[in-house]
Amino acid sequence: MLRKMLSGLALFCALGLSGFSSAQQPPALTLEMAEQAMAAAEAESRANNWNLTIVIADAEGVPVMVHRMDGASARTFDIAMRKVHVVTETGLSSGEYGRRLQAGEIAEVENGVTFAGGVPIMQNGERIGAITSSGARGIEDEQVSLAGAAAIGS
C-alpha cells in the first residue's frame, strides 16, 4: 500500500514538474544575436566614418558584447554604459527618456544620461536587452544603435 502511494506521489510530482520545463520561457538575448546586432551597428558606423563604442547588453543591463572602435575616446564606454542603464531601467530609448524627464513626466534615473544613442532590443513584444552607441552626436549614435537592433528584429 505504501509503495503504491509513493509511486503515485512520484508520478504526480513528475507530471507537475514537467509543466515547469514546458512553460514558455521569456526570450533571451543570445551571443549569436549580439554578434548579428554588433555587425550591423559597426557597418552603419563605418559607413558614416563614426568611431564609436557600441555596447549590447541583456535585459538586466549586463554587457554581452562591447566594441570600442579605433579612434573612439575612452570616455565613450562610460557614456554607452550609462545609456544601457537608462534603457534597462525605463524601457525607453535614452533620447525619449531625456525628453520625458525634461517634461517632468518621469523620475530621474540615477547616473542616467538624457541624450540619444541607447535603444531597447525587442523580440516578440518583449524587451530582451539594449544596444547603445557613443562617440558621435546623439542622433548619429541612435542611428547606429537602431541599425543593430533592427538586425535581430526590434
Side-chain angles (χ1 to χ4, degrees):
M1 176 74 164
L2 182 59
R3 180 176 271 170
K4 278 187 170 181
M5 285 177 41
L6 290 175
S7 295
L9 180 60
L11 178 62
F12 175 76
C13 288
L15 290 173
L17 291 176
S18 69
F20 287 117
S21 63
S22 66
Q24 189 73 355
Q25 294 294 321
L29 180 67
T30 65
L31 179 59
E32 181 180 343
M33 294 163 75
E35 289 170 341
Q36 291 172 343
M38 184 63 75
E42 283 188 3
E44 183 67 23
S45 181
R46 290 185 198 291
N48 290 285
N49 295 313
W50 299 325
N51 298 320
L52 307 177
T53 295
I54 303 166
V55 176
I56 300 172
D58 66 16
E60 288 78 37
V62 177
V64 175
M65 187 169 280
V66 177
H67 283 191
R68 182 173 153 218
M69 299 171 72
D70 292 341
S73 83
R75 72 183 186 97
T76 59
F77 173 76
D78 178 57
I79 295 167
M81 286 304 300
R82 290 171 66 189
K83 290 177 185 181
V84 166
H85 185 63
V86 164
V87 173
T88 57
E89 287 292 314
T90 66
L92 302 170
S93 70
S94 57
E96 180 63 21
Y97 160 76
R99 287 186 288 281
R100 289 189 184 185
L101 182 64
Q102 187 175 14
E105 297 173 1
I106 59 174
E108 184 173 358
V109 173
E110 187 175 341
N111 294 316
V113 294
T114 58
F115 38 89
V119 300
I121 299 173
M122 306 294 290
Q123 189 172 68
N124 300 326
E126 292 190 47
R127 184 172 42 84
I128 62 168
I131 179 168
T132 68
S133 303
S134 179
R137 294 182 312 154
I139 192 78
E140 295 165 345
D141 291 344
E142 186 164 318
Q143 180 179 329
V144 169
S145 295
L146 287 169
I152 55 176
S154 262

